[in-house]
């Protein structure tokens, strides 16, 4: 890994720490109605910018080929929307006898029910050099599945009497995810030579937008006067979140690298991030819709607010390790595929 890549990784991790600290000190700056206007800039512009950026940088033929990789898509979606929430539910049955705040535990269950993210998994897959096209497809497809499945999972595991406006969420997702991606692909056709010649910093642009999303989300949390967190429960939840992420990343790595799995090393990278990451930009609005008027909504939201920056921090730290493994694995596969030269006797 080059020095420039190391600096980018360290800068991004430092950026996450700084935005969280600033959000805690001055939360009013990034809340709804504040100077940043997150209800417009984050909800519509930020996520759209990430996918327009992906549309510009991704080769059309790669995106087309990714659509046909059905086995990979099934693996990611089943792991994310079936195995993940079920495993968390079983785990919480054990944690229910501990003194951990029960609403934070319910918040962990909501994390398990969330669809894959529309940003972080794509950015980290791209940083490693994995199958970015597959990551984009699963992020977008998982988000659309999540519109229907996530509220149903929340109702199943936690219960709520709220009606969920699927049509409005679906239309918003279509306008902020699919449309910008298509526009980016169309624009790419006209400026393809310029993009290949200049090589704009697509990764840095996406990272900056992601930092802005994290900052405004934490501003919204810290500005809520009704949050009452005890330090013990919070520390334990943070530890559990990092443990769950790392454990599930190892689990997806194990299953996707088995013999006859049919996945390439680049596919494994996309699987690791897409299967274990959870959407904050979709999750928070869904929680507010499903649990509208719920007095403990702020506490229930905390684990998801922790999970999002935690998955980016952990992913960023593991980028050089995963990248090194992928490159070495690809080289080993190339050597095994080379025809053996017969030895003359």
């Amino acid at each position: 890994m080059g020095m420039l890549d190391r600096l980018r990784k360290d800068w991004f991790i430092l950026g996450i720490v700084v935005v969280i600290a600033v959000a805690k000190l001055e939360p009013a700056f990034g809340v709804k109605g504040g100077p940043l206007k997150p209800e417009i800039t984050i909800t519509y512009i930020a996520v759209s910018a990430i996918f327009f950026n992906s549309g510009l940088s991704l080769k059309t033929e790669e995106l087309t080929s990714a659509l046909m990789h059905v086995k990979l898509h099934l693996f990611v979606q089943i792991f994310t929307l079936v195995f993940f929430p079920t495993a968390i539910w079983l785990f919480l049955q054990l944690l229910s006898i501990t003194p951990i705040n029960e609403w934070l535990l319910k918040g962990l269950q909501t994390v398990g029910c969330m669809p894959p993210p529309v940003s972080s998994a794509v950015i980290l897959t791209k940083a490693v050099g994995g199958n970015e096209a597959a990551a984009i497809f699963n992020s977008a497809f998982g988000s659309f599945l999540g519109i229907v499945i996530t509220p149903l999972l929340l109702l199943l595991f936690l219960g709520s009497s709220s009606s969920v406006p699927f049509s409005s969420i679906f239309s918003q997702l279509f306008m902020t995810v699919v449309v910008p991606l298509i526009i980016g692909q169309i624009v790419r056709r006209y400026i393809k030579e310029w993009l290949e010649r200049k090589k704009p910093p697509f990764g840095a642009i996406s990272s900056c937008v992601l930092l802005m999303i994290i900052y405004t989300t934490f501003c919204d949390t810290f500005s809520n006067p009704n949050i009452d967190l005890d330090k013990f429960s919070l520390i334990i939840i943070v530890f559990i979140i990092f443990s769950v992420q790392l454990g599930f990343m190892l689990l997806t790595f194990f299953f996707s690298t088995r013999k006859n799995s049919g996945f390439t090393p680049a596919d494994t990278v996309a699987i690791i991030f897409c299967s274990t990451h959870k959407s904050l930009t979709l999750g928070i609005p869904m929680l507010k819709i499903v649990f509208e008027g719920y007095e403990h909504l702020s506490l229930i939201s905390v684990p998801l607010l922790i999970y999002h920056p935690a998955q980016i921090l952990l992913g960023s730290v593991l980028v050089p390790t995963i990248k090194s493994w992928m490159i070495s694995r690809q080289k080993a596969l190339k050597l095994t595929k080379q025809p053996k030269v017969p030895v003359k006797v």
Side-chain angles (χ1 to χ4, degrees):
M1 187 177 184
M3 182 61 69
L4 183 59
D5 290 329
R6 289 184 184 276
L7 287 173
R8 284 175 180 170
K9 184 199 74 171
D10 294 339
W11 170 83
F12 191 53
I13 294 173
L14 177 63
I16 293 173
V17 175
V18 170
V19 296
I20 293 173
V22 175
K24 189 171 183 179
L25 291 171
E26 191 58 49
F29 190 72
V31 299
K32 185 176 180 180
L36 284 181
K37 302 292 183 185
E39 65 273 19
I40 298 173
T41 57
I42 299 301
T43 305
Y44 300 102
I45 300 174
V47 176
S48 298
I50 287 174
F51 276 88
F52 175 74
N53 191 31
S54 294
L56 274 179
S57 61
L58 190 65
K59 294 178 181 178
T60 307
E61 55 271 20
E62 291 179 357
L63 188 59
T64 305
S65 64
L67 298 177
M68 307 307 294
H69 207 333
V70 178
K71 187 176 180 180
L72 187 152
H73 307 326
L74 284 174
F75 183 99
V76 171
Q77 301 308 326
I78 291 173
F79 190 97
T80 306
L81 296 171
V82 179
F83 176 81
F84 202 126
T86 305
I88 291 294
W89 181 82
L90 293 171
F91 182 50
L92 291 181
Q93 302 312 300
L94 299 174
L95 292 180
S96 62
I97 60 175
T98 67
I100 302 174
N101 187 297
E102 65 171 310
W103 301 109
L104 290 180
L105 292 180
K106 289 181 183 293
L108 276 178
Q109 185 64 69
T110 67
V111 171
C113 298
M114 292 302 154
V118 291
S119 50
S120 60
V122 175
I123 293 169
L124 290 170
T125 300
K126 183 181 179 68
V128 174
N131 192 338
E132 185 192 357
I136 286 177
F137 177 82
N138 278 284
S139 294
F141 183 60
S143 297
F144 281 108
L145 281 179
I147 295 171
V148 177
I149 295 177
T150 293
L152 293 177
L153 289 173
L154 291 173
L155 296 175
L156 174 66
F157 289 110
L158 298 172
S160 174
S161 58
S162 301
S163 58
V164 183
F166 295 113
S167 58
S168 62
I169 302 177
F170 186 88
S171 60
Q172 182 178 324
L173 262 182
F174 184 81
M175 294 304 296
T176 57
V177 174
V178 178
V179 171
L181 185 65
I182 293 173
I183 293 174
Q185 285 282 286
I186 294 172
V187 173
R188 178 182 171 81
R189 289 189 176 186
Y190 294 97
I191 60 172
K192 183 178 180 180
E193 293 182 1
W194 180 85
L195 290 173
E196 292 177 352
R197 187 173 65 253
K198 294 294 183 179
K199 298 186 183 301
F202 292 114
I205 294 170
S206 295
S207 296
C208 289
V209 176
L210 199 57
L211 284 175
M212 186 178 176
I213 292 172
I214 294 170
Y215 169 70
T216 54
T217 304
F218 269 83
C219 282
D220 191 51
T221 303
F222 293 128
S223 66
N224 192 326
N226 297 321
I227 282 192
D228 182 22
L229 287 172
D230 63 280
K231 292 181 180 179
F232 170 78
S233 294
L234 188 59
I235 292 171
I236 295 298
I237 289 295
V238 170
F239 174 76
I240 290 172
I241 284 172
F242 273 100
S243 300
V244 165
Q245 284 185 33
L246 187 58
F248 281 1
M249 288 177 81
L250 290 172
L251 194 62
T252 53
F253 176 81
F254 171 75
F255 281 114
S256 62
T257 54
R258 288 185 306 169
K259 288 184 178 180
N260 303 320
S261 67
F263 299 128
T264 66
D267 291 339
T268 295
V269 173
I271 287 170
I272 288 173
F273 290 125
C274 290
S275 299
T276 59
H277 281 209
K278 293 294 183 175
S279 177
L280 179 70
T281 50
L282 280 175
I284 293 300
M286 281 188 180
L287 287 180
K288 289 180 178 178
I289 291 168
V290 176
F291 299 103
E292 185 179 2
Y294 208 70
E295 61 175 320
H296 298 290
L297 176 59
S298 296
L299 282 174
I300 291 176
S301 304
V302 167
L304 183 57
L305 292 169
I306 297 171
Y307 195 96
H308 189 78
Q311 70 191 9
I312 299 168
L313 275 169
L314 185 59
S316 300
V317 169
L318 292 176
V319 159
T321 303
I322 298 174
K323 189 173 186 176
S324 177
W325 168 83
M326 186 189 73
I327 292 171
S328 62
R329 183 66 177 162
Q330 287 174 332
K331 288 180 179 177
L333 288 172
K334 283 182 180 179
L335 289 174
T336 56
K337 289 180 180 179
Q338 289 180 354
K340 294 182 179 179
V341 180
V343 179
K344 293 182 179 180
V345 180

